Amino acid sequence: MVGKRLLFASILISCFLFGIGAAEKAVVEMNLFSIFSYSYSTQQWGNVMIPDLKLTFSSENSGNVRGEISLGTPDPTKTSFSVDDFIRKAFLRARFPSLRLTAGKTRLSWGDGMLFNAGDILYGSSSVSVDLTQAELRSKTDWLVSINYPMGFFSFVEAVYLPGKTGKAQDMGVGARFYTNIGETKVEGAYLTKDETGRVHKLATSLQGNIGPDWYFASSIAIDQTNPNASDIQESWRISGGLFHMQYLSGDRNVSLRLEILSRPFGTWKFASQREESCALLLYPELVYSPTGSLSYSLRAILSPLDLSTLVTAGASWSVFEGFSLMANISAPFGESGDLFNWDESSAAALTLGASWIY
């Protein structure tokens, strides 16, 4: 299967290299981060510098076919790499008279939510193992083929094919979703079957609307094909929701507020230490304040109300020149031993200083 993916990637990259002159432009993004950390469990300080380099070629946003290739440094936490790790995105989109085709390595957006999204049954958006200093909290991509068939104004059916990781046809994934509007409310239903530790069937529904602030809601379950039982289905049930509002103030000032929730209805509803896989309730509050068009401050947190533990990140970003920004973030977990977030295990407080250059 790896060979097929590399062949697919090579074909896409070759197409871009032959037509590179037709690209709007090549965009180079270089991020350098220096991270100072302190681990309470080991009583040790640490420091590491992490480069994040990305080169993106995009075709023009006109015509019936467009595409993008984005190459970048792989995840620094990995100990071994393949060619696929250096390919962030490599996809093309073609517009036919009656349908839209997407093929390559990219990300499809199912459901709604910045951190928690139960409707995201393609990639999963319930883990708390995320970097809150990133602008995009969920950015996983994968190889896929999707066909989007419009059925009217803001209404369509989308089918997706995911190649298996073993090269066997029985391990591939397939799914579909239906998207429409009912009045002022967006309604979405989705189905996916794929091989994880065994073949599972996933069902999801999502709603989104506006009541002043934007609101969104999603729910999903997973059914094991080999041994479908009520207990496992109950444990797989996820419910997410959120509110988002941006308030524009005088001058260039603005403030945005977001609150998201993730619930496992059959999880552990006890005021005691929680484990991620069974934690019944999680909250994600976010506050971003921009006093000028070039400066912003942010405060993000993941809160586990049942054991009163939290992971907090505060940050600032300053766009000094066009394409050049300076950033600073500080994050730390707060909780007792055994809590979802705590000082006593592998968690560490960290100060991140960075610079970003895009040209």
Side-chain angles (χ1 to χ4, degrees), residues 81-310:
F81 306 105
S82 67
V83 174
D84 194 45
D85 292 317
F86 292 86
I87 303 173
R88 305 255 179 115
K89 291 182 179 180
F91 67 89
L92 58 85
R93 291 195 176 108
R95 179 182 301 170
F96 296 91
S98 59
L99 57 86
R100 311 288 185 264
L101 171 70
T102 299
K105 188 175 186 181
T106 185
R107 181 179 180 88
L108 298 179
S109 297
W110 288 16
D112 294 282
M114 184 169 184
L115 179 64
F116 296 134
N117 178 8
D120 181 16
I121 55 178
L122 282 172
Y123 311 99
S125 295
S126 60
S127 171
V128 296
S129 298
V130 295
D131 183 359
L132 293 182
T133 66
Q134 298 296 310
E136 192 175 8
L137 300 182
R138 306 288 187 188
S139 58
K140 181 181 178 182
T141 59
D142 209 346
W143 296 97
L144 57 86
V145 176
S146 77
I147 295 176
N148 185 300
Y149 181 75
M151 299 182 65
F153 189 65
F154 288 116
S155 181
F156 61 84
V157 173
E158 182 177 50
V160 62
Y161 157 73
L162 304 170
K165 300 184 183 300
T166 63
K168 299 178 181 179
Q170 61 265 33
D171 293 334
M172 70 179 185
V174 292
R177 68 165 172 157
F178 174 67
Y179 181 106
T180 191
N181 282 346
I182 299 178
E184 299 296 324
T185 302
K186 181 211 78 173
V187 180
E188 182 179 326
Y191 164 78
L192 177 72
T193 177
K194 62 186 296 190
D195 183 72
E196 295 181 344
T197 54
R199 180 156 294 276
V200 296
H201 301 269
K202 298 183 178 183
L203 298 166
T205 184
S206 304
L207 305 173
Q208 191 270 331
N210 182 277
I211 52 174
D214 295 331
W215 65 267
Y216 42 93
F217 169 89
S219 179
S220 65
I221 60 170
I223 304 172
D224 184 82
Q225 178 172 292
T226 305
N227 183 28
N229 62 77
S231 177
D232 290 341
I233 295 173
Q234 289 173 349
E235 290 180 4
S236 74
W237 190 12
R238 305 281 189 275
I239 295 175
S240 67
L243 294 169
F244 174 77
H245 180 67
M246 176 172 284
Q247 181 66 48
Y248 292 94
L249 308 173
S250 59
D252 292 334
R253 297 181 302 148
N254 65 77
V255 59
S256 66
L257 301 168
R258 184 186 301 271
L259 177 63
E260 294 185 352
I261 180 173
L262 176 72
S263 175
R264 297 174 175 88
F266 290 89
T268 305
W269 290 94
K270 296 180 180 180
F271 288 99
S273 295
Q274 297 286 315
R275 295 180 301 150
E276 181 177 355
E277 61 271 18
S278 60
C279 185
L281 184 63
L282 290 167
L283 301 176
Y284 172 67
E286 177 190 85
L287 169 66
V288 179
Y289 172 63
S290 299
T292 68
S294 60
L295 182 65
S296 68
Y297 302 97
S298 64
L299 180 64
R300 294 171 165 176
I302 306 176
L303 173 64
S304 173
L306 295 175
D307 61 11
L308 298 179
S309 66
T310 185

